[in-house]
Amino acid sequence: MNNFTFHWLRIVRQMWFLPAAFSLVAALVILLAFGVGRWLPDELPFTLSVEAVAGILSILASSLLTVAVFALSTIVSALSAVTQTTTPRAVPLIVSDRRAQTSVSVFIGAFLFSIVGIIGVNAGFYSGGGRLVLFVATLAVVVIVIAALIRWIGQISAIGRVSHTIDRVEEATINAFHAIDTPRYFGCMPRTGDPQGAPVLTDKIGYVQYFDTNKLQDVAEKAGLHVHILARPGTYVDPQRPLMMIAGQPDEECEQSLRDAFIIGGNRTFDRDPRYGLIVLNEIAGRALSPAVNDPGTAIDVVGTLVRVLMEWETHEKTEELKYPRLSVEPLTPADLMEDAFRPIARDGAGHIEVLQRLMTGLETLATSNTELSEPARRMARDAAARARAALKADSDRAALDRMMGFAETADD
């Protein structure tokens, strides 16, 4: 994927894109009916009057306008609920939900189909054969609308709910791990030691959302350079924080080409930044554990989700195919992932023994998995236990916590 593809995928996920595409298809169907009708004979065994076709389209248009407005208002209410009950950072995932977008797009596209059809029929654009083709197309649209409406009824029962939002963030985080060709190095060489060379700065302030490894490799190969990438997706950069270090003698044009390979925006994205997904899940748990909400059950659900996500990272293909020998990058480290995933919950849930029990169970699962996460999980368990001992007031809770700490105390410090 290059920078253009990255921008194109972001456009495709926008709320307006799919309705616009369906509306275009609806207009093309109207034109197709007009074109096909011209090739049909004037005398057919079965024809429809202008009033009959226009009446059916009028009923369809008036009904779909109400349905489309209702569907859009439902999405707006769901986005408001997500902001208030989970975290605003999860809103883009709800907006980009293809299932909801498809249903709304069908309603809007069918409404436009009806309006354009009414105009064409009343203006006399269609012959008898054209009206017959348009009638058949209208029946197909009615079937599609009914299917979309039934599907939408099932969706509105889930969209905007906390559990649905957690599932969407989990899916986005796992996809972010899988979207990286090799989770640790993007197909580049592992960075060892302190990088040497000239720093390349940016005049932008924000977060790295994506960098084009193919472009970086091509530029480095042509100029005989080695590029040490310092800013993974999700890294905050400014004019004082270098994007990369270059070993070699680059000219100004070469540096600018390397700089253009990075996409920097005001917000972090889920696409290539799995740590962001872990942070968003923690925000959901943090709000649930706040005194205003007091919903430890949601925090427990998030802990289970985090364990599944991290185990998915561990079981994901780890074969590091070297695709870009002139690039090196700092990998995702298990310690960083563990802190992103569990430290905020350990802090906010220190006074909730039920949350601590689920947290320790999850950390034990990771600690006994005999993977790179084992030792970081034990360290996190000891850190969570230290916070809990300071927050728990009942001796029975402290005793229950001590009984759960056996797996962590078997590791070397």
Side-chain angles (χ1 to χ4, degrees), residues 310-364:
L310 290 177
M311 290 300 293
E312 180 72 20
W313 176 74
E314 272 295 344
T315 56
H316 185 50
E317 181 63 43
K318 292 301 192 304
T319 302
E320 300 296 333
E321 180 184 354
L322 182 59
K323 297 181 179 180
Y324 311 105
R326 289 189 174 272
L327 308 180
S328 62
V329 65
E330 185 176 357
L332 287 173
T333 64
D336 289 340
L337 294 176
M338 194 64 60
E339 290 184 1
D340 290 338
F342 296 111
R343 184 164 60 181
I345 296 178
R347 178 196 64 215
D348 298 332
H352 299 265
I353 186 60
E354 62 274 22
V355 176
L356 290 170
Q357 287 176 330
R358 185 64 185 88
L359 176 61
M360 292 303 175
T361 301
L363 291 173
E364 183 176 8

Side-chain angles (χ1 to χ4, degrees), residues 260-296:
D260 291 341
F262 285 76
I263 296 177
I264 299 173
N267 301 299
R268 297 176 72 168
T269 62
F270 292 91
D271 295 319
R272 296 294 186 274
D273 185 8
R275 294 182 65 180
Y276 184 51
L278 301 178
I279 293 171
V280 172
L281 285 170
N282 264 288
E283 289 184 358
I284 297 174
R287 176 164 293 189
L289 290 171
S290 66
V293 179
N294 192 23
D295 179 20

Side-chain angles (χ1 to χ4, degrees), residues 8-231:
W8 171 249
L9 290 176
R10 295 186 65 181
I11 292 174
V12 168
R13 294 182 188 133
Q14 296 298 313
M15 190 67 188
W16 59 266
F17 181 84
L18 211 55
F22 273 66
S23 299
L24 179 60
V25 171
L28 292 176
V29 171
I30 292 292
L31 293 176
L32 181 63
F34 173 75
V36 173
R38 295 182 60 185
W39 293 95
L40 294 178
D42 294 334
E43 296 182 1
L44 294 172
F46 176 72
T47 59
L48 292 169
S49 65
V50 172
E51 293 76 13
V53 177
I56 296 173
L57 290 172
S58 298
I59 295 172
L60 192 61
S62 59
S63 302
L64 286 173
L65 179 60
T66 303
V67 172
V69 171
F70 169 73
L72 290 173
S73 64
T74 302
I75 291 180
V76 171
S77 300
L79 297 180
S80 177
V82 169
T83 301
Q84 295 175 4
T85 59
T86 57
T87 171
R89 260 64 62 188
V91 168
L93 295 177
I94 307 302
V95 170
S96 63
D97 189 339
R98 275 284 181 243
R99 290 161 291 188
Q101 286 185 1
T102 301
S103 297
V104 175
S105 300
V106 167
F107 301 146
I108 295 177
F111 171 72
L112 181 64
F113 171 87
S114 304
I115 293 297
V116 176
I118 291 172
I119 295 173
V121 170
N122 289 330
F125 292 158
Y126 291 94
S127 62
R131 290 194 298 272
L132 180 60
V133 174
L134 184 60
F135 175 73
V136 173
T138 302
L139 293 181
V141 168
V142 170
V143 173
I144 294 173
V145 168
I146 292 174
L149 186 59
I150 294 174
R151 183 183 183 188
W152 179 249
I153 293 173
Q155 290 170 345
I156 60 177
S157 63
I159 188 171
R161 294 181 179 273
V162 175
S163 58
H164 175 261
T165 305
I166 293 173
D167 292 341
R168 294 289 292 128
V169 178
E170 177 184 4
E171 179 183 354
T173 307
I174 292 176
N175 289 340
F177 280 125
H178 290 181
I180 305 171
D181 290 335
T182 49
R184 289 164 169 78
Y185 307 113
F186 295 90
C188 308
M189 294 180 63
R191 204 189 82 185
T192 57
D194 295 330
Q196 303 295 322
V200 176
L201 304 175
T202 177
D203 57 355
K204 299 178 181 179
I205 299 176
Y207 295 94
V208 173
Q209 297 177 343
Y210 175 75
F211 57 77
D212 188 345
T213 46
N214 289 312
K215 184 175 182 179
L216 290 171
Q217 172 69 18
D218 290 342
V219 174
E221 196 167 52
K222 290 178 181 178
L225 308 174
H226 189 90
V227 179
H228 305 278
I229 300 172
L230 303 180

